[in-house]
mmCIF file of all heavy atoms in Angstrom:
data_model
loop_
_atom_site.group_PDB
_atom_site.id
_atom_site.type_symbol
_atom_site.label_atom_id
_atom_site.label_comp_id
_atom_site.label_asym_id
_atom_site.label_seq_id
_atom_site.Cartn_x
_atom_site.Cartn_y
_atom_site.Cartn_z
ATOM 1 N N GLY S 277 0.807 -1.209 0.000
ATOM 2 C CA GLY S 277 0.000 0.000 0.000
ATOM 3 C C GLY S 277 0.841 1.260 0.000
ATOM 4 O O GLY S 277 0.513 2.252 -0.649
ATOM 5 N N ALA S 278 1.952 1.221 0.729
ATOM 6 C CA ALA S 278 2.844 2.383 0.797
ATOM 7 C C ALA S 278 4.001 2.269 -0.190
ATOM 8 O O ALA S 278 4.817 3.180 -0.280
ATOM 9 C CB ALA S 278 3.395 2.527 2.214
ATOM 10 N N ALA S 279 4.059 1.137 -0.898
ATOM 11 C CA ALA S 279 5.147 0.891 -1.851
ATOM 12 C C ALA S 279 6.507 1.054 -1.180
ATOM 13 O O ALA S 279 7.425 1.664 -1.734
ATOM 14 C CB ALA S 279 5.025 1.811 -3.061
ATOM 15 N N LYS S 280 6.633 0.487 0.007
ATOM 16 C CA LYS S 280 7.878 0.618 0.762
ATOM 17 C C LYS S 280 8.230 -0.701 1.441
ATOM 18 O O LYS S 280 7.375 -1.551 1.671
ATOM 19 C CB LYS S 280 7.741 1.697 1.847
ATOM 20 C CG LYS S 280 7.622 3.117 1.330
ATOM 21 C CD LYS S 280 7.590 4.115 2.474
ATOM 22 C CE LYS S 280 8.917 4.163 3.215
ATOM 23 N NZ LYS S 280 8.925 5.233 4.241
ATOM 24 N N THR S 281 9.509 -0.828 1.759
ATOM 25 C CA THR S 281 9.965 -1.914 2.621
ATOM 26 C C THR S 281 10.004 -1.387 4.038
ATOM 27 O O THR S 281 10.541 -0.302 4.299
ATOM 28 C CB THR S 281 11.356 -2.401 2.194
ATOM 29 O OG1 THR S 281 11.289 -2.892 0.853
ATOM 30 C CG2 THR S 281 11.840 -3.517 3.105
ATOM 31 N N ARG S 282 9.417 -2.135 4.942
ATOM 32 C CA ARG S 282 9.341 -1.678 6.325
ATOM 33 C C ARG S 282 9.821 -2.778 7.267
ATOM 34 O O ARG S 282 9.970 -3.938 6.872
ATOM 35 C CB ARG S 282 7.901 -1.304 6.687
ATOM 36 C CG ARG S 282 7.300 -0.150 5.882
ATOM 37 C CD ARG S 282 5.904 0.161 6.388
ATOM 38 N NE ARG S 282 5.235 1.215 5.649
ATOM 39 C CZ ARG S 282 5.367 2.512 5.866
ATOM 40 N NH1 ARG S 282 6.189 2.923 6.819
ATOM 41 N NH2 ARG S 282 4.707 3.402 5.157
ATOM 42 N N ASN S 283 10.017 -2.389 8.532
ATOM 43 C CA ASN S 283 10.337 -3.340 9.593
ATOM 44 C C ASN S 283 9.224 -3.346 10.622
ATOM 45 O O ASN S 283 8.629 -2.299 10.920
ATOM 46 C CB ASN S 283 11.651 -2.966 10.287
ATOM 47 C CG ASN S 283 12.848 -3.114 9.390
ATOM 48 O OD1 ASN S 283 12.990 -4.113 8.700
ATOM 49 N ND2 ASN S 283 13.711 -2.115 9.371
ATOM 50 N N LEU S 284 8.947 -4.524 11.163
ATOM 51 C CA LEU S 284 7.959 -4.650 12.237
ATOM 52 C C LEU S 284 8.610 -5.363 13.411
ATOM 53 O O LEU S 284 9.267 -6.395 13.231
ATOM 54 C CB LEU S 284 6.732 -5.418 11.760
ATOM 55 C CG LEU S 284 5.600 -5.553 12.782
ATOM 56 C CD1 LEU S 284 4.244 -5.380 12.111
ATOM 57 C CD2 LEU S 284 5.647 -6.911 13.497
ATOM 58 N N LEU S 285 8.429 -4.809 14.600
ATOM 59 C CA LEU S 285 9.009 -5.370 15.817
ATOM 60 C C LEU S 285 7.957 -6.158 16.571
ATOM 61 O O LEU S 285 6.845 -5.676 16.803
ATOM 62 C CB LEU S 285 9.529 -4.236 16.707
ATOM 63 C CG LEU S 285 10.131 -4.652 18.051
ATOM 64 C CD1 LEU S 285 11.492 -5.299 17.852
ATOM 65 C CD2 LEU S 285 10.249 -3.433 18.976
ATOM 66 N N ALA S 286 8.299 -7.391 16.957
ATOM 67 C CA ALA S 286 7.403 -8.219 17.774
ATOM 68 C C ALA S 286 8.193 -8.762 18.954
ATOM 69 O O ALA S 286 9.329 -9.214 18.793
ATOM 70 C CB ALA S 286 6.835 -9.368 16.954
ATOM 71 N N SER S 287 7.611 -8.683 20.141
ATOM 72 C CA SER S 287 8.259 -9.291 21.306
ATOM 73 C C SER S 287 7.884 -10.765 21.356
ATOM 74 O O SER S 287 6.756 -11.148 21.028
ATOM 75 C CB SER S 287 7.851 -8.578 22.595
ATOM 76 O OG SER S 287 6.459 -8.617 22.771
ATOM 77 N N ASP S 288 8.831 -11.595 21.761
ATOM 78 C CA ASP S 288 8.677 -13.050 21.701
ATOM 79 C C ASP S 288 8.692 -13.646 23.099
ATOM 80 O O ASP S 288 9.709 -13.579 23.802
ATOM 81 C CB ASP S 288 9.820 -13.668 20.881
ATOM 82 C CG ASP S 288 9.847 -13.175 19.442
ATOM 83 O OD1 ASP S 288 8.933 -12.433 19.051
ATOM 84 O OD2 ASP S 288 10.804 -13.523 18.720
ATOM 85 N N ASN S 289 7.586 -14.227 23.491
ATOM 86 C CA ASN S 289 7.503 -14.916 24.777
ATOM 87 C C ASN S 289 8.048 -16.332 24.601
ATOM 88 O O ASN S 289 7.350 -17.216 24.104
ATOM 89 C CB ASN S 289 6.050 -14.937 25.259
ATOM 90 C CG ASN S 289 5.886 -15.721 26.547
ATOM 91 O OD1 ASN S 289 6.860 -16.162 27.165
ATOM 92 N ND2 ASN S 289 4.647 -15.925 26.960
ATOM 93 N N LEU S 290 9.281 -16.519 25.036
ATOM 94 C CA LEU S 290 9.923 -17.817 24.839
ATOM 95 C C LEU S 290 9.918 -18.678 26.100
ATOM 96 O O LEU S 290 10.740 -19.587 26.240
ATOM 97 C CB LEU S 290 11.363 -17.616 24.339
ATOM 98 C CG LEU S 290 11.497 -16.874 23.000
ATOM 99 C CD1 LEU S 290 12.946 -16.873 22.536
ATOM 100 C CD2 LEU S 290 10.593 -17.485 21.940
ATOM 101 N N ALA S 291 8.957 -18.406 26.990
ATOM 102 C CA ALA S 291 8.777 -19.317 28.125
ATOM 103 C C ALA S 291 8.390 -20.692 27.590
ATOM 104 O O ALA S 291 7.643 -20.811 26.615
ATOM 105 C CB ALA S 291 7.697 -18.788 29.053
ATOM 106 N N ALA S 292 8.923 -21.724 28.203
ATOM 107 C CA ALA S 292 8.691 -23.086 27.718
ATOM 108 C C ALA S 292 7.200 -23.418 27.724
ATOM 109 O O ALA S 292 6.451 -22.994 28.618
ATOM 110 C CB ALA S 292 9.453 -24.081 28.580
ATOM 111 N N PRO S 293 6.746 -24.187 26.725
ATOM 112 C CA PRO S 293 5.349 -24.616 26.728
ATOM 113 C C PRO S 293 5.094 -25.627 27.839
ATOM 114 O O PRO S 293 6.032 -26.177 28.431
ATOM 115 C CB PRO S 293 5.188 -25.263 25.348
ATOM 116 C CG PRO S 293 6.569 -25.702 24.969
ATOM 117 C CD PRO S 293 7.499 -24.696 25.568
ATOM 118 N N THR S 294 3.828 -25.866 28.102
ATOM 119 C CA THR S 294 3.467 -26.953 29.014
ATOM 120 C C THR S 294 4.105 -28.248 28.512
ATOM 121 O O THR S 294 4.136 -28.511 27.311
ATOM 122 C CB THR S 294 1.938 -27.115 29.064
ATOM 123 O OG1 THR S 294 1.367 -25.865 29.470
ATOM 124 C CG2 THR S 294 1.529 -28.206 30.022
ATOM 125 N N THR S 295 4.623 -29.036 29.422
ATOM 126 C CA THR S 295 5.311 -30.267 29.029
ATOM 127 C C THR S 295 4.426 -31.110 28.110
ATOM 128 O O THR S 295 3.262 -31.373 28.402
ATOM 129 C CB THR S 295 5.693 -31.095 30.275
ATOM 130 O OG1 THR S 295 6.542 -30.293 31.112
ATOM 131 C CG2 THR S 295 6.437 -32.361 29.876
ATOM 132 N N GLY S 296 5.009 -31.517 26.982
ATOM 133 C CA GLY S 296 4.280 -32.328 26.027
ATOM 134 C C GLY S 296 3.459 -31.547 25.025
ATOM 135 O O GLY S 296 2.820 -32.130 24.154
ATOM 136 N N LYS S 297 3.495 -30.204 25.111
ATOM 137 C CA LYS S 297 2.742 -29.352 24.194
ATOM 138 C C LYS S 297 3.693 -28.613 23.241
ATOM 139 O O LYS S 297 4.905 -28.617 23.400
ATOM 140 C CB LYS S 297 1.901 -28.335 24.964
ATOM 141 C CG LYS S 297 0.754 -28.950 25.760
ATOM 142 C CD LYS S 297 -0.366 -29.425 24.842
ATOM 143 C CE LYS S 297 -1.602 -29.829 25.627
ATOM 144 N NZ LYS S 297 -2.720 -30.235 24.738
ATOM 145 N N VAL S 298 3.092 -27.944 22.261
ATOM 146 C CA VAL S 298 3.808 -27.104 21.296
ATOM 147 C C VAL S 298 3.306 -25.673 21.460
ATOM 148 O O VAL S 298 2.104 -25.457 21.635
ATOM 149 C CB VAL S 298 3.525 -27.570 19.842
ATOM 150 C CG1 VAL S 298 4.102 -26.589 18.831
ATOM 151 C CG2 VAL S 298 4.067 -28.966 19.613
ATOM 152 N N LYS S 299 4.217 -24.694 21.424
ATOM 153 C CA LYS S 299 3.813 -23.289 21.349
ATOM 154 C C LYS S 299 3.947 -22.830 19.907
ATOM 155 O O LYS S 299 4.984 -23.034 19.273
ATOM 156 C CB LYS S 299 4.677 -22.418 22.261
ATOM 157 C CG LYS S 299 4.195 -22.381 23.701
ATOM 158 C CD LYS S 299 5.092 -21.545 24.589
ATOM 159 C CE LYS S 299 5.055 -20.086 24.264
ATOM 160 N NZ LYS S 299 5.786 -19.262 25.268
ATOM 161 N N LEU S 300 2.879 -22.193 19.396
ATOM 162 C CA LEU S 300 2.840 -21.795 17.991
ATOM 163 C C LEU S 300 2.180 -20.424 17.857
ATOM 164 O O LEU S 300 1.204 -20.123 18.541
ATOM 165 C CB LEU S 300 2.033 -22.817 17.180
ATOM 166 C CG LEU S 300 1.780 -22.494 15.703
ATOM 167 C CD1 LEU S 300 3.069 -22.561 14.889
ATOM 168 C CD2 LEU S 300 0.731 -23.442 15.119
ATOM 169 N N ARG S 301 2.732 -19.606 16.958
ATOM 170 C CA ARG S 301 2.089 -18.351 16.581
ATOM 171 C C ARG S 301 2.219 -18.182 15.072
ATOM 172 O O ARG S 301 2.968 -18.912 14.412
ATOM 173 C CB ARG S 301 2.725 -17.150 17.298
ATOM 174 C CG ARG S 301 4.144 -16.869 16.851
ATOM 175 C CD ARG S 301 4.704 -15.622 17.488
ATOM 176 N NE ARG S 301 6.091 -15.431 17.081
ATOM 177 C CZ ARG S 301 6.850 -14.411 17.453
ATOM 178 N NH1 ARG S 301 6.347 -13.473 18.253
ATOM 179 N NH2 ARG S 301 8.099 -14.308 17.038
ATOM 180 N N VAL S 302 1.501 -17.194 14.528
ATOM 181 C CA VAL S 302 1.510 -16.948 13.089
ATOM 182 C C VAL S 302 1.798 -15.475 12.827
ATOM 183 O O VAL S 302 1.276 -14.593 13.524
ATOM 184 C CB VAL S 302 0.160 -17.336 12.445
ATOM 185 C CG1 VAL S 302 0.164 -17.010 10.950
ATOM 186 C CG2 VAL S 302 -0.134 -18.815 12.654
ATOM 187 N N ALA S 303 2.633 -15.218 11.837
ATOM 188 C CA ALA S 303 2.911 -13.861 11.369
ATOM 189 C C ALA S 303 2.410 -13.736 9.934
ATOM 190 O O ALA S 303 2.742 -14.564 9.087
ATOM 191 C CB ALA S 303 4.405 -13.577 11.440
ATOM 192 N N HIS S 304 1.602 -12.711 9.654
ATOM 193 C CA HIS S 304 0.961 -12.549 8.345
ATOM 194 C C HIS S 304 1.669 -11.445 7.553
ATOM 195 O O HIS S 304 1.509 -10.265 7.828
ATOM 196 C CB HIS S 304 -0.510 -12.189 8.565
ATOM 197 C CG HIS S 304 -1.314 -11.949 7.315
ATOM 198 N ND1 HIS S 304 -0.782 -11.933 6.034
ATOM 199 C CD2 HIS S 304 -2.650 -11.698 7.148
ATOM 200 C CE1 HIS S 304 -1.727 -11.680 5.150
ATOM 201 N NE2 HIS S 304 -2.872 -11.539 5.802
ATOM 202 N N PHE S 305 2.464 -11.875 6.562
ATOM 203 C CA PHE S 305 3.176 -10.922 5.715
ATOM 204 C C PHE S 305 2.976 -11.230 4.228
ATOM 205 O O PHE S 305 3.875 -11.029 3.416
ATOM 206 C CB PHE S 305 4.668 -10.914 6.060
ATOM 207 C CG PHE S 305 4.951 -10.325 7.412
ATOM 208 C CD1 PHE S 305 5.315 -11.134 8.478
ATOM 209 C CD2 PHE S 305 4.826 -8.964 7.628
ATOM 210 C CE1 PHE S 305 5.563 -10.603 9.725
ATOM 211 C CE2 PHE S 305 5.068 -8.414 8.888
ATOM 212 C CZ PHE S 305 5.444 -9.229 9.938
ATOM 213 N N ILE S 306 1.785 -11.731 3.880
ATOM 214 C CA ILE S 306 1.459 -11.908 2.456
ATOM 215 C C ILE S 306 1.065 -10.538 1.916
ATOM 216 O O ILE S 306 0.025 -9.986 2.243
ATOM 217 C CB ILE S 306 0.332 -12.932 2.266
ATOM 218 C CG1 ILE S 306 0.789 -14.299 2.786
ATOM 219 C CG2 ILE S 306 -0.057 -13.029 0.795
ATOM 220 C CD1 ILE S 306 -0.259 -15.380 2.684
#
């Protein structure tokens, strides 16, 4: 939309998941 290259900052919660689980998130840059 702006015809530009930009940067986006995201903070990452890297606390361990519950034992036996997976932690997953999604970033939308299409």
Side-chain angles (χ1 to χ4, degrees):
K280 291 184 67 174
T281 299
R282 298 183 182 276
N283 293 314
L284 183 140
L285 178 73
S287 59
D288 299 355
N289 176 7
L290 299 186
T294 303
T295 301
K297 292 287 189 177
V298 172
K299 275 178 67 172
L300 175 69
R301 68 175 177 179
V302 177
H304 178 355
F305 291 107
I306 298 178

